[in-house]
Amino acid sequence: MELRHLRYFLAVADELNFTRAAARLHIGQPPLSMQIRDLEDELGVRLFERNARRVALTPAGKCLQEHAQRIMAGVQEAVAQTQRVARGEAGELRVGFTSSLPFTDLLPDALHAYRKRYPAVRLQLREMFTPNQFGALGRDELDVGFVRLQGTRAPEGIRIREIARNPLRVVVNVAHRLASAGSVSFADLHDEDFIAFPADVGTDLPAVLRGLCRQAGFEPRIVQVAREATTQIGLVAAGLGIAVLPAPLETVRMPRVRYLALTDPEAEFRLAVATAESAQGALLAGFLAVVAELSGADGQAPKKR
């Protein structure tokens, strides 16, 4: 049995007239009658009672009509869904992001704009450190990632598109000697106790902190490590030291904490979208286009965020 047999059968079942059904199908009546007889022979049942005056469905024909209608509707939906996927209007997109991205406007705005433009696409979101995102992209476990870079290069096989830059902030207790300063440089921090990420946490920040301190002529004195940025801010509030974190985290407000700007030009992170070099398709292209529109990465200079 082929789909055309069901299409022919449904036309006759709807019209209950072979002449009108043949005209609707744009074929001759004799070929249509032959196709219906072939279908009946294949099934071993009579689908229509017919004589010179009338055509009527048999009970078996009514049963096939119900099933054939569902089958043809399913085929039409399969075709439409396949075409939507090819146009990037349906399917699933796996998106990675670093932990501080939800504190920016960029990620929420991008997700909101994309969902509004492509409501049928399912978004699977995963919070991951940048190196973990690179690994997941290489293993085809992610389609696109929002990553932070500071002087590091992406691994082989990963394409990077810079979309913004985030300055770093010094987080100090309100009782700190620098709390009232509008901005500071790393040279002002040479005698400070630092709260930092552990070296194995999966972010560039430990290396960035050491590099910026060394440029200022000293080694950072790390007195406490914490794997979560919000934990570090809480330890600063407790007076255990200072921390250096991306600027979006200054939206985390605690009564005994101040965020200070850094004047060092290198005290910033590049924010980028990362994809596998082999990745392609309308689904991913649509998402990247939305991000580019929002970030100005479609030819304009990256924005400070």
Side-chain angles (χ1 to χ4, degrees), residues 50-280:
R50 47 195 182 271
N51 55 42
R53 292 193 300 266
R54 65 188 289 269
V55 175
L57 283 165
T58 65
K62 291 178 180 178
C63 178
L64 180 61
Q65 183 185 33
E66 294 177 4
H67 287 284
Q69 287 170 339
R70 288 197 294 269
I71 290 170
M72 296 306 294
V75 170
Q76 291 171 1
E77 175 56 26
V79 170
Q81 182 72 0
T82 299
Q83 292 171 338
R84 287 194 292 269
V85 169
R87 294 192 300 264
E89 297 171 0
E92 181 177 83
L93 194 68
R94 301 162 298 174
V95 182
F97 62 94
T98 58
S99 58
S100 62
L101 257 293
F103 295 98
T104 70
D105 292 335
L106 182 57
L107 181 63
D109 287 353
L111 296 179
H112 176 77
Y114 185 75
R115 288 290 298 272
K116 187 174 180 179
R117 189 175 301 181
Y118 301 103
V121 177
R122 299 185 303 275
L123 290 175
Q124 183 188 116
L125 305 176
R126 296 177 61 186
E127 180 184 333
M128 306 171 72
F129 287 114
T130 292
N132 303 108
Q133 291 190 54
F134 289 152
L137 288 166
R139 296 188 299 273
D140 192 30
E141 296 171 1
L142 279 183
D143 298 305
V144 60
F146 288 86
V147 299
R148 292 194 182 281
L149 304 167
Q150 215 280 352
T152 57
R153 300 183 65 176
E156 185 177 351
I158 302 297
R159 180 183 292 114
I160 293 295
R161 301 168 179 84
E162 186 173 338
I163 55 175
R165 295 187 181 181
N166 289 154
L168 296 174
R169 294 285 187 258
V170 180
V171 191
V172 301
N173 188 280
V174 292
H176 192 276
R177 63 184 178 86
L178 297 172
S180 60
S183 61
V184 297
S185 70
F186 264 86
D188 300 318
L189 308 177
H190 59 88
D191 292 325
E192 297 296 331
D193 294 333
F194 286 87
I195 301 164
F197 289 100
D200 65 344
V201 75
T203 173
D204 282 346
L205 265 172
V208 170
L209 175 62
R210 288 193 301 272
L212 291 170
C213 289
R214 287 169 182 168
Q215 287 183 27
F218 67 97
E219 289 289 331
R221 185 169 62 246
I222 297 173
V223 297
Q224 182 69 49
V225 295
R227 305 185 77 85
E228 300 292 336
T230 50
T231 302
Q232 294 184 32
I233 296 170
L235 295 176
V236 171
L240 298 184
I242 68 171
V244 176
L245 295 170
L249 284 159
E250 62 188 342
T251 57
V252 179
R253 291 297 174 181
M254 294 188 184
R256 295 189 296 277
V257 165
R258 295 287 183 273
Y259 296 89
L260 309 179
L262 281 160
T263 58
D264 307 74
E266 300 86 357
E268 65 178 11
F269 263 109
R270 291 184 294 137
L271 178 62
V273 285
T275 59
E277 288 184 350
S278 58
Q280 55 185 337

Side-chain angles (χ1 to χ4, degrees), residues 162-164 295-304:
E162 186 173 338
I163 55 175
S295 66
D298 48 0
Q300 303 178 21
K303 298 178 180 179
K304 297 279 188 179

